Amino acid sequence: MLSIVVKPSCVKRFLHVASVFVLVAGLGTGGGAGCAGAATEGSGGDSLVILHTNDVHSQFDPLEMDGDRRLGGAAARARILERQRALGGRVILLDAGDLVQGTPYYNTFRGEPDHRLLDLLGYDAIALGNHDLDDGPAAWRARATATRTPILSANVFADAESAWAGPADPPVPAAARRGARWVGGDRVADRVEARYLAAPFVILERGGLRIAVFGLMTEALTRIVIPSRNHGVMVGDPIAAAAELVPRLRRNADVVVALTHLGVADDRRLAERVAGIDVIIGGHSHTPLFRPASARGPGAAATPIAQAGSRGAYVGRTTLTWQTPDRIRCRGQLIEVRPEEGGDPKIDAFLDRYRRDLSKGLEAVVFHLPHRVSSHGLRLGESPLGNFVADVIRLRTGADIGVMNAGGMRASLPAGDVTVGDIMRVLPFENRLVVASMSGTQVRALLDRAARRIGKGGFGHFSGVRYVVRGDRAAEIYVGGRPGAGGAPLDANRIYRIATIDFVAEGGDGLMPSRDSILFEETNTRLDEAASEFLRDHPEYRFEKDGRVGWRGATKALRDMGVR
C-alpha cells in the first residue's frame, strides 16, 4: 500500500510524478505506536486540535449577510488561524473539499489563487470535492500543481487507459473499488484497471503523534458533474473504500481522521458502518454544526462528526482529548470569521493582484432592484430567483418550456444596482443553453421527477408551464398562457420544445428522464451572459412568485425532509 508521510515542515503532494511517492513496506502488517502512548507525548499533552473549513467555493472576500453583517473572507480567516495556532499544542488544519467554484474569481482564474492560498494559510490536507471536476480531471490536475497541500480521495478513481492517467498513479485494491460507477452512472466492469485519481490518504506528524487523514467523495459525483468532461472517472462506494483502508491505517497511525465530502447524512452512515475512525471532518452539505454530531457504529464508542458550514463564514475547532487509553473525548465549536476584527495584510496583498484584474468588465450595471432577491428556498419550491432564471432560459431560446435545476443557482441578488459580477455569483458554472424536442409524455415524466426532488439540487424551476404536486406526481399541467393562469392542458401526443442547461441535459442532478432517448441541440449561449442581457433589455422585469407550482397535501419527499 502507498503512503505519503508528511512532516509539518515538508508537505508533499500526490500527483502522477513518481518522485513524490514514498513506499512504506509492511503497511497493513506492521504495528504502529498505540494511541494512548503517543498521545501523551510532546507538546499538547493528551490532545489534538483540528482546525477545519469546507465548501469555501472561491469565496475570498467577506459575505454580505442580512442586516449589514459581514462574515468570512480569506484575510480574516488567516488572522483567526494565526490566533488559534498561537494557543499552542498539536494543531492541524484541514479542508473537507469544494475549494473552488462559485464566484467570478473561479470563472476568471480557474482555481489558481485558491490553491496558492492553501499553502499561504498552512493547510495540511484537503479532500477532493465534486466541483474540482467541473472542468474535468485533466484541468484539475493542472491547477493542483499550484499547491503543495495533499489533495485526498480514497474512492475516486481513474481508468488506467485514460490519456490523463499517469503510470505512477497507484492501482486500487479490488475491495476498495467495490460497486464503482462511471461518472454518468454506469457500473464499472471488473476487468477495467482503476488507479487513484488523488492520494487516498496522508500521514501527518505532530509532537510524536502520527495522524492518518484519508479522503472520501460523495457517490453523487456520478450525477453532479458533466459526464462528457469526465470520461474515465469513476467513484466507488465510500463505505467500501473506508472499510478496506481504515484497518491498515489503524496499525500505522495513532489517530485516524476521515476527511469527507459526503454530507452529514452519509457521514452518519459511514460512522455506523466502519469501525476505527476517531473523527469525521465533513463537507458537501454546507451544514454548520455548532457542536459535533455523533453516530454509534461497530466500535464501542460513538464517532464524532464536525462540519463548518460553507463559504468560509466559520472556522471549525474540533479537539480530541485522550482521557484514558481507550476513551477519547471530543469537543467542538465554530468560530465566526468576522472581518471587522482584522485580517492578515499579506493575504489581502496577495488577493489584491487578482481583484484588480477581476473588476474589469464585472462592474457594469445591468439592472436595479428595489429589494434583495434571496436564494433561500430554491430547493424547497417556487422562488422568484428560480422563476427568473427559468424565464431567461425559455425566452432566450424561444422554447415552450424552460427548465433550471435549483443546484445551479448559488447566491442572492443584492438590492440596488445589479452588476454582471452579481449575475455570475448567482450562476457561476458557465453552463450553456441547450434545446430538445420532447413529447407531452416525456414532459410529464420530467415534472414528476422534479416533484420528487424537493429539498435537493435536482428540484426543478420552470417557465412556460404550471402544475400542482400531488402525491409526488405532477398534476393539473398547463403549458403557455400568462404567468399563474391560462394555458392549454398538457397534450401527451404533442411535441414541445424544452430548453435547459448542458448540465441538466447530461443527467446532472438526476432531473432529466430518459436522457439517452432525447437529443439536445447546443446553442453555445452561456446562461449567465443571457441573464445579464435579459435584465439589461427588460428593466421592467418583476422578480416574484406567480403560482407556477402548487401543492396538494404532503409529498413523500417533504415527509422525508422532517423538520426542514
Side-chain angles (χ1 to χ4, degrees):
M1 186 65 179
L2 219 71
S3 170
I4 303 173
V5 178
V6 182
K7 297 183 184 298
S9 61
C10 184
V11 178
K12 296 188 178 181
R13 307 174 37 249
F14 180 110
L15 286 175
H16 58 282
V17 180
S19 61
V20 305
F21 297 133
V22 181
L23 183 62
V24 179
L27 182 58
T29 58
C35 180
T40 56
E41 298 171 2
S43 174
D46 59 355
S47 66
L48 170 68
V49 174
I50 304 172
L51 303 176
H52 56 97
T53 54
N54 56 275
D55 300 278
V56 175
H57 288 293
S58 301
Q59 188 69 51
F60 302 142
D61 299 323
L63 289 160
E64 304 294 332
M65 312 298 286
D66 292 333
D68 296 327
R69 201 162 67 104
R70 300 165 77 230
L71 285 179
R77 191 192 337 157
R79 181 57 56 87
I80 285 177
L81 296 176
E82 178 185 12
R83 292 169 182 161
Q84 290 296 312
R85 288 175 173 131
L87 297 175
R90 299 187 182 95
V91 180
I92 62 173
L93 175 59
L94 306 176
D95 186 279
D98 272 2
L99 175 72
V100 300
Q101 184 67 277
T103 72
Y105 283 105
Y106 182 77
N107 301 88
T108 305
F109 304 112
R110 315 312 293 183
E112 178 199 318
D114 312 67
H115 286 81
R116 292 181 64 188
L117 267 174
L118 289 174
D119 295 345
L120 291 175
L121 296 176
Y123 278 84
D124 293 296
I126 180 172
L128 185 71
N130 52 282
H131 285 293
D132 285 310
L133 298 177
D134 280 354
D135 295 332
W140 168 71
R141 283 196 179 237
R143 65 173 172 264
T145 60
T147 186
R148 298 185 303 277
T149 305
I151 303 173
L152 309 177
S153 185
N155 71 318
V156 178
F157 317 128
D159 183 350
E161 300 301 319
S162 298
W164 44 265
D169 296 335
V172 180
R177 58 173 285 181
R178 189 172 69 245
R181 292 185 178 274
W182 299 110
V183 168
D186 293 337
R187 188 172 292 279
V188 179
D190 291 341
R191 66 178 180 277
V192 175
E193 183 181 356
R195 296 183 178 274
Y196 285 106
L197 180 65
F201 69 93
V202 66
I203 295 180
L204 308 169
E205 295 182 6
R206 290 292 188 278
L209 190 73
R210 289 169 61 84
I211 307 147
V213 182
F214 70 98
L216 290 174
M217 169 74 79
T218 173
E219 285 185 288
L221 183 71
T222 60
R223 64 178 185 275
I224 58 177
V225 295
I226 296 178
S228 62
R229 299 179 188 173
N230 286 278
H231 288 304
V233 175
M234 59 191 93
V235 59
D237 176 359
I239 291 174
E244 188 277 333
L245 182 59
V246 168
R248 307 194 204 193
L249 298 178
R250 279 253 68 103
R251 289 190 287 268
N252 288 269
D254 309 302
V255 184
V256 174
V257 179
L259 188 60
T260 71
H261 200 73
L262 301 176
V264 170
D266 284 341
D267 283 337
R268 290 183 183 277
R269 282 189 278 273
L270 175 68
E272 291 165 355
R273 298 278 299 278
V274 180
I277 299 172
D278 291 308
V279 63
I280 297 172
I281 303 296
H284 187 56
S285 57
H286 296 199
T287 309
L289 292 176
F290 294 94
R291 297 180 185 274
S294 66
R296 191 174 299 276
T303 302
I305 300 166
Q307 192 175 148
S310 66
R311 299 278 180 179
Y314 303 98
V315 169
R317 178 187 170 97
T318 300
T319 304
L320 302 181
T321 304
W322 281 262
Q323 296 179 310
T324 70
D326 299 318
R327 182 176 176 83
I328 299 177
R329 179 187 179 194
C330 177
R331 292 169 295 151
Q333 66 179 120
L334 297 186
I335 304 167
E336 280 195 344
V337 179
R338 300 173 182 168
E340 68 271 17
E341 295 180 358
D344 186 332
K346 296 189 296 297
I347 299 300
D348 262 330
F350 168 77
L351 290 173
D352 278 343
R353 290 172 284 171
Y354 296 96
R355 289 173 179 138
R356 285 191 292 270
D357 289 339
L358 186 68
S359 64
K360 300 171 184 175
L362 297 183
E363 296 176 352
V365 176
V366 297
F367 198 73
H368 186 86
L369 276 170
H371 53 78
R372 181 172 180 263
V373 178
S374 176
S375 60
H376 179 72
L378 280 167
R379 301 179 185 220
L380 302 177
E382 183 185 357
S383 94
L385 189 60
N387 286 351
F388 158 66
V389 176
D391 285 345
V392 169
I393 293 172
R394 178 177 65 87
L395 295 171
R396 179 58 179 260
T397 58
D400 298 305
I401 298 172
V403 186
M404 181 63 187
N405 63 313
M409 296 169 278
R410 291 305 180 102
S412 302
L413 286 174
D417 289 340
V418 176
T419 66
V420 170
D422 293 324
I423 297 297
M424 289 180 70
R425 291 179 186 92
V426 175
L427 302 167
F429 301 125
E430 299 180 343
N431 295 120
R432 283 171 164 73
L433 303 184
V434 295
V435 184
S437 295
M438 294 174 61
S439 69
T441 299
Q442 290 173 314
V443 171
R444 181 181 292 277
L446 170 61
L447 294 171
D448 285 344
R449 291 175 75 87
R452 291 192 290 270
R453 277 160 176 72
I454 187 168
K456 302 176 182 178
F459 181 74
H461 292 268
F462 292 86
S463 176
V465 65
R466 61 186 175 89
Y467 65 101
V468 168
V469 177
R470 182 186 292 130
D472 299 322
R473 300 292 296 274
E476 302 175 35
I477 305 169
Y478 293 87
V479 180
R482 66 184 187 278
L490 181 72
D491 183 344
N493 297 314
R494 179 182 161 184
I495 300 299
Y496 296 90
R497 296 286 284 169
I498 310 297
T500 187
I501 56 173
D502 49 3
F503 172 77
V504 171
E506 290 204 37
D509 277 341
L511 182 57
M512 190 61 60
S514 307
R515 58 189 175 90
D516 292 338
S517 62
I518 301 170
L519 181 63
F520 284 91
E521 306 163 14
E522 299 180 0
T523 68
N524 206 34
T525 299
R526 260 177 48 175
L527 175 57
D528 61 298
E529 294 173 350
S532 291
E533 292 170 10
F534 177 87
L535 288 179
R536 190 182 292 117
D537 295 342
H538 296 83
E540 76 291 349
Y541 184 82
R542 297 177 61 181
F543 287 80
E544 60 186 5
K545 295 183 182 180
D546 54 27
R548 301 178 191 193
V549 183
W551 308 94
R552 298 287 187 272
T555 68
K556 181 178 184 300
L558 279 170
R559 293 193 299 272
D560 288 346
M561 291 167 62
V563 298
R564 287 186 59 187

